[in-house]
Amino acid sequence: MREVTAEIRDLEILIDDAVHEGCVTSENRTRGFAAKLDETNPLGYLRGHYFIPKIKDLVKQFDDENKEAIYFNGNSLGCQPKATASHITSVLENWKVKGMNCHFQGYLPAALCDEEIQNLILPIVGAKAGEVALMNSLSVNLQLLLLAFYKPSGRRRKIIIEKHAFPSDYYLVASRIELAGLDPDECLMEISPKEGRHTLDHEDILHAIEETGDELALVLWPPVQYFTGQVFNIEEIISAAHNVGAYCGLDCAHGIGNIELKLHDWKADFAVWCGYKYLNGSPGTVGGAFLHSSIDAKTLIKSRGWWGHKLDSRFKMDNNWDGSGGISEFRLGNPPPIQMATLVAPLELFNRHSMSQFEAVGKLLSGYLISLLRAVVGSRITFITPHTDVDSRGCQVSFTLTSGKPEPKAVFRDLREHGVVCDFREPGSIRLAPVPMYNKFTDVFDFVNILKNILHPE
Ligand SMILES: *Cc1c(COP(=O)(O)O)cnc(C)c1O
C-alpha cells in the first residue's frame, strides 16, 4: 500500500487556490486547469485499469466512436476492471481441467475461494482478521444479522433507522420486528430531518438514541446515506447506542470504497455491504458482513448451514454442529467462485493505496464539482448533499434542479444524450458520484459545462 499524501496535498492546494469563494477566475475555469488537476492526481493512473463505457454504446446516435461517457454512477454499479475477465476465465479453466478437484486445488479453489481473498477487504473496511466473511447479497446478510442482533425482551424492543432508509433495509427491519411477533408501528423508529431539510442533524440522532434509552434494542445506520450522500459521525452514533445498552449495526452499501471505514475501532457490532457499487465487483456479486471480534458468535441466534461448520470436520457429515467461530459461522452454503473472482481485480486495485487516500481524492472531486456547480449554474440548483461541510460528504453529490425551463426531467434526458451517466429521481433530483477510483477532474469540468449549456443554451 503506497501512501501518496504529499501529492494529494498538492492537488488540494491547487483546487483550494482555484475555487476559493470569489476567486473562481476565468483562468481557473478552463478545461486546461481541470486537465492539470488530472495530471497532479496521484490516483489518476487507476482509471487505466478500468473499462469506461463509450457514449456510442449508451446513446443511439453518436458519431464519435471512442468518446467515453462521463460515468458518475459508480455509487450504483461500478465500472468493470480490465483484469476481471481473466480472473473469471481462470476459475472456469480450473473447473474444466480439474473437475471435482477444483474444490481444493488450483486458482481460487472453489471451497476456499472466499477465505482466499477476504484479507483484501480488511483494510477497506477497517477490520481485523476473522471479522469479515464474503458471502450473499447485502440484503441476505442484513437478514442474517438482524436475526442475530434483534433480541427484543421486556421494554427493550425498538429499532432506530433513518427516515427514507433504502427500501430493502426498511422492509428487512420491519419484517424482522413482525417475525418477533411485534408491531413495526410501535417498534420501528425513523429519525427525520428537521422541517424543510434533506439531511439529518447529528445532535437529533444522538438525542433520539438517548431518549429511547432502555427501550432501544438496535440502531441500524449507514456511514453514508445512499440518497443524500451525507456522511455521519458513526463512532459517536455507535457509542450512543452502546451507552443505552443497545447494539449498533452498519449498512455500508454507500460507505465501502467511498470513505474510510473503521469497523473494528468504531466498535460496530456488525456491518454489511455489497460488492458491486464503489467496489466495482460485477452486478449482483457477493457482498460481505462484519462481526466485531469482541462478540462471541456462539452466543448469537443464527440459522446454521453446513458451511458455518469448522472446516476440518465439515465433511464428516455427522450432524454435530461445531461452528467455525466469528462471522464465518454465518456462512450457510458453498461460496460462488465465479462471483468471487470478480472481486479480485478491484480489491487488488483498492489495496494499492489506503482508503484515507481514496477518501481524500473523492472529496476533492466532489468539492471541485460543488464549486463549479455553484459558480456556473448556482441559480438553478439546490444542494441535497451537505455541500459546505467536507466532513459530511464523501464523493457523492446530490442536488435538486429548481423548477423552470427546461423541466428537470428534460434536463436529465439531455444529460444522458450527452453521455452523462447519473441517477434521476422525481420530481427533480440528480445524484452524481465522481469516484476516486476512475473519475477525472475533466469529467467534472465537462459535466458542469454540459449542464450549463442545457440550462442556459446560447
Ligand atoms: C444498494 C443497497 C442495497 C442493495 O442490497 P442488495 O441485497 O445488494 O440488492 C441495500 N441497502 C442499501 C442502503 C443500498 O444502498
Side-chain angles (χ1 to χ4, degrees):
M1 208 170 279
R2 210 161 65 84
E3 293 294 318
V4 287
T5 312
E7 288 96 322
I8 292 176
R9 185 75 196 122
D10 291 344
L11 190 60
E12 199 177 301
I13 291 167
L14 271 176
I15 297 178
D16 267 0
D17 287 351
V19 301
H20 191 267
E21 201 86 52
C23 299
V24 189
T25 66
S26 55
E27 189 194 335
N28 291 329
R29 263 204 254 156
T30 61
R31 196 170 193 283
F33 178 73
K36 185 165 156 196
L37 297 179
D38 284 335
E39 278 165 36
T40 313
N41 178 6
L43 305 187
Y45 77 98
L46 290 165
R47 179 182 173 96
H49 291 271
Y50 285 82
F51 292 114
I52 308 296
K54 302 266 167 63
I55 301 180
K56 69 161 169 59
D57 295 320
L58 305 177
V59 173
K60 273 204 193 86
Q61 254 150 11
F62 198 80
D63 295 337
D64 191 334
E65 276 288 296
N66 290 313
K67 199 167 165 58
E68 287 165 338
I70 299 179
Y71 195 87
F72 282 166
N73 241 171
N75 57 328
S76 205
L77 178 63
C79 290
Q80 185 179 134
K82 290 179 178 166
T84 288
S86 79
H87 289 284
I88 296 175
T89 307
S90 300
V91 167
L92 286 172
E93 186 65 18
N94 198 35
W95 170 36
K96 182 173 98 185
V97 303
K98 294 206 187 284
M100 186 64 192
N101 286 2
C102 81
H103 273 124
F104 288 99
Q105 294 174 11
Y107 178 71
L108 220 52
L112 307 172
C113 62
D114 55 341
E115 295 179 37
E116 290 240 329
I117 67 168
Q118 71 198 10
N119 282 350
L120 292 173
I121 204 94
L122 300 178
I124 299 174
V125 297
K128 304 261 181 254
E131 287 184 323
V132 302
L134 295 175
M135 56 184 185
N136 311 317
S137 66
L138 182 154
S139 302
V140 173
N141 289 332
L142 185 54
Q143 147 85 338
L144 296 174
L145 287 153
L146 286 173
L147 277 177
F149 279 92
Y150 183 56
K151 297 188 268 192
S153 81
R155 285 161 61 79
R156 198 180 285 284
R157 44 171 71 178
K158 292 194 172 158
I159 302 182
I160 285 184
I161 61 173
E162 88 275 24
K163 183 90 184 165
H164 308 301
F166 194 89
S168 205
D169 302 43
Y170 178 86
Y171 299 142
L172 280 160
V173 168
S175 57
R176 175 65 186 97
I177 290 169
E178 287 166 9
L179 282 172
L182 297 169
D183 182 357
D185 284 345
E186 281 167 28
C187 299
L188 180 51
M189 285 181 59
E190 296 170 88
I191 304 186
S192 301
K194 287 201 170 72
E195 186 73 26
R197 299 270 306 275
H198 290 288
T199 49
L200 284 149
D201 249 335
H202 188 60
E203 294 310 317
D204 290 349
I205 305 167
L206 300 182
H207 186 67
I209 293 172
E210 279 161 26
E211 283 264 283
T212 314
D214 66 359
E215 293 182 17
L216 185 61
L218 174 69
V219 176
L220 176 67
W221 209 260
V224 182
Q225 216 281 342
Y226 85 97
F227 180 67
T228 64
Q230 182 176 14
V231 172
F232 298 99
N233 184 335
I234 280 292
E235 193 169 16
E236 284 188 14
I237 292 173
I238 293 171
S239 156
H242 288 170
N243 281 343
V244 298
Y247 286 118
C248 186
L250 305 181
D251 182 327
C252 301
H254 287 259
I256 193 165
N258 175 5
I259 61 165
E260 182 176 22
L261 302 174
K262 299 180 180 171
L263 298 182
H264 181 88
D265 291 348
W266 289 341
K267 301 189 170 64
D269 295 300
F270 70 88
V272 294
W273 57 86
C274 41
Y276 51 84
K277 292 177 176 166
Y278 291 102
L279 281 194
N280 310 314
S282 53
T285 193
V286 275
F290 164 93
L291 176 68
H292 200 278
S293 57
S294 63
I295 297 171
D296 181 0
K298 303 217 178 329
T299 63
L300 299 170
I301 309 164
K302 71 177 82 65
S303 290
R304 295 192 293 259
W306 75 317
W307 222 259
H309 197 283
K310 270 190 186 145
L311 177 61
D312 57 11
S313 48
R314 184 182 303 154
F315 301 105
K316 275 192 190 161
M317 321 293 264
D318 60 6
N319 293 358
N320 283 320
W321 168 263
D322 190 3
S324 54
I327 188 68
S328 47
E329 232 174 90
F330 284 77
R331 294 176 303 166
L332 295 176
N334 272 282
I338 295 175
Q339 283 187 30
M340 216 60 77
T342 66
L343 285 171
V344 178
L347 293 186
E348 282 177 351
L349 291 169
F350 270 108
N351 274 268
R352 291 190 181 192
H353 304 278
S354 64
M355 266 321 296
S356 67
Q357 316 242 293
F358 283 104
E359 174 177 331
V361 172
K363 284 182 172 180
L364 291 176
L365 282 160
S366 59
Y368 181 57
L369 173 60
I370 288 165
S371 303
L372 284 184
L373 283 169
R374 287 171 74 170
V376 179
V377 291
S379 60
R380 273 300 302 276
I381 65 174
T382 310
F383 286 102
I384 296 172
T385 306
H387 63 289
T388 52
D389 175 13
V390 72
D391 292 332
S392 298
R393 64 160 203 269
C395 67
Q396 181 193 321
V397 178
S398 307
F399 60 84
T400 305
L401 284 165
T402 46
S403 58
K405 294 275 174 213
E407 292 299 329
K409 187 85 209 215
V411 173
F412 176 67
R413 270 200 304 269
D414 219 355
L415 283 172
R416 232 175 16 198
E417 288 304 304
H418 283 85
V420 175
V421 185
C422 64
D423 281 342
F424 179 78
R425 183 195 267 203
E426 296 287 1
S429 304
I430 288 185
R431 200 164 60 135
L432 311 163
V435 306
M437 182 58 92
Y438 49 72
N439 280 123
K440 300 185 292 185
F441 288 89
T442 40
D443 285 341
V444 170
F445 181 87
D446 291 343
F447 166 77
V448 175
N449 275 282
I450 291 168
L451 183 62
K452 182 184 96 180
N453 290 335
I454 293 172
L455 294 177
H456 310 293
E458 248 99 20

